[in-house]
Amino acid sequence: MDIRNLNKKFGSFSVIDKISLLFPNSGIHSIIGPNGAGKSTLLNLIYGDLKADDGQILYNDIDLLKKEKYQRISLGIGRTYQTPMLITENTVIDNCLIADMGSKKNNFFSLFSKKKIVDKIFKKINATLTHLNIADKKDFLVDALTHGEKKLLEIAMLLISDCDVLLLDEPLAGVDKIESDFIVKIICELSKNKLILLVEHDIEVVLNISNSVSVMNNGELIISSDPKSVKNNTLVNQIYFDKANEK
């Protein structure tokens, strides 16, 4: 993925100011910075929740800014949110079936004509839920899940949708240590053949698992480099790490 001179303003205020970033096809690239730095806005622009003012986001030589949100999903771009965006009055399996509708393979639309495809879809869903340790909750209403289980369900839905790029917005927020460790384990596994763009405030996790880290402040890119270089950067320590350690 190649982001070139990306800009977004709300009125006269630049929330994304000429951001350029180049990502490989796999690995964990974390985006950190103070609250209001523009991290979630950047994910919104990639996913299509917001429209950019100008610039380019190239993915497999396709400019995502010229595609609608549903088209980006079909290209393999998936996203989670700080607060999980799920249909809480439906079951876990219902949410997974909806996720399959967004799959690049579009198997769902053959549900009523080919039993083999139906079986394949449910097998994939069960395998994914099992891998994420929530298979025993597949018939539960989403509203009955813990916060951590909802976070895992969001990730499961991305996998069921055949996403190759996962935009994860604070996946560890509000979860306990055991759940956090498990989610980190899953993220690391997925990064072997998927691109993970991770927005996260747990700096220790970010520095330990990321292949590269970008630091934003007031809509601007301060640095994008390896974790060690970012950790030792004087400006980053002044605007972010020192303040984060004070909390």
Side-chain angles (χ1 to χ4, degrees):
M1 182 177 289
D2 187 2
I3 300 175
R4 300 179 182 179
N5 295 314
L6 191 64
N7 285 282
K8 178 64 181 179
K9 288 186 177 182
F10 292 144
S12 60
F13 181 68
S14 292
V15 289
I16 296 292
D17 190 5
K18 297 178 182 178
I19 295 289
S20 293
L21 288 165
L22 181 62
F23 305 118
N25 291 328
S26 62
I28 301 172
H29 185 96
S30 291
I31 304 165
I32 64 173
N35 290 332
K39 307 179 297 294
S40 293
T41 300
L42 179 59
L43 297 192
N44 288 338
L45 293 172
I46 296 171
Y47 191 55
D49 286 329
L50 287 174
K51 290 190 176 182
D53 294 329
D54 53 72
Q56 290 182 302
I57 303 176
L58 301 177
Y59 178 61
N60 292 336
D61 297 322
I62 297 171
D63 189 351
L64 296 181
L65 298 186
K66 296 179 179 178
K67 300 293 182 181
E68 297 296 328
K69 181 176 175 178
Y70 75 91
Q71 294 173 309
R72 301 183 199 194
I73 294 171
S74 69
L75 288 170
I77 312 294
R79 190 198 196 304
T80 69
Y81 294 85
Q82 294 176 19
T83 301
M85 300 286 283
L86 302 163
I87 305 176
T88 57
E89 64 270 22
N90 284 14
T91 65
V92 168
I93 201 81
D94 289 338
N95 277 262
C96 291
L97 287 170
I98 291 168
D100 186 76
M101 291 176 66
S103 169
K104 291 184 292 184
K105 298 176 183 177
N106 291 317
N107 286 334
F108 185 86
F109 296 105
S110 299
L111 275 174
F112 302 105
S113 60
K114 296 182 180 179
K115 184 179 182 300
K116 287 184 178 179
I117 292 181
V118 177
D119 292 341
K120 185 177 180 181
I121 291 170
F122 278 95
K123 184 177 180 180
K124 177 181 180 181
I125 289 173
N126 284 323
T128 303
L129 294 178
T130 298
H131 185 58
L132 271 64
N133 282 354
I134 50 175
D136 60 331
K137 303 295 176 64
K138 66 181 180 180
D139 295 319
F140 282 42
L141 293 179
V142 171
D143 205 34
L145 301 182
T146 67
H147 183 66
E149 289 167 343
K150 290 175 182 177
K151 294 272 189 177
L152 287 168
L153 176 56
E154 272 200 316
I155 294 173
M157 291 169 66
L158 298 187
L159 301 182
I160 291 162
S161 299
D162 296 317
C163 292
D164 297 312
V165 178
L166 277 58
L167 314 176
L168 306 183
D169 199 349
E170 298 190 25
L172 306 183
V175 304
D176 63 32
K177 181 66 166 59
I178 294 174
E179 290 172 326
S180 176
D181 289 347
F182 183 69
I183 292 172
V184 168
K185 174 178 174 287
I186 294 296
I187 290 172
C188 290
E189 288 177 0
L190 296 176
S191 70
K192 295 176 183 178
N193 55 20
K194 297 180 185 295
L195 171 60
I196 311 288
L197 298 187
L198 175 67
V199 171
E200 181 53 56
H201 284 291
D202 190 326
I203 302 305
E204 183 179 356
V205 168
V206 165
L207 295 177
N208 283 337
I209 71 173
S210 300
N211 299 101
S212 58
V213 180
S214 294
V215 184
M216 296 180 63
N217 189 47
N218 294 327
E220 297 181 343
L221 181 65
I222 304 302
I223 184 176
S224 186
S225 189
D226 62 274
K228 183 177 180 180
S229 297
V230 168
K231 183 179 181 180
N232 293 331
N233 184 275
T234 301
L235 181 56
V236 171
N237 277 277
Q238 289 174 349
I239 68 173
Y240 187 49
F241 288 154
D242 291 346
K243 294 180 180 178
N245 290 332
E246 291 173 0
K247 295 181 179 179

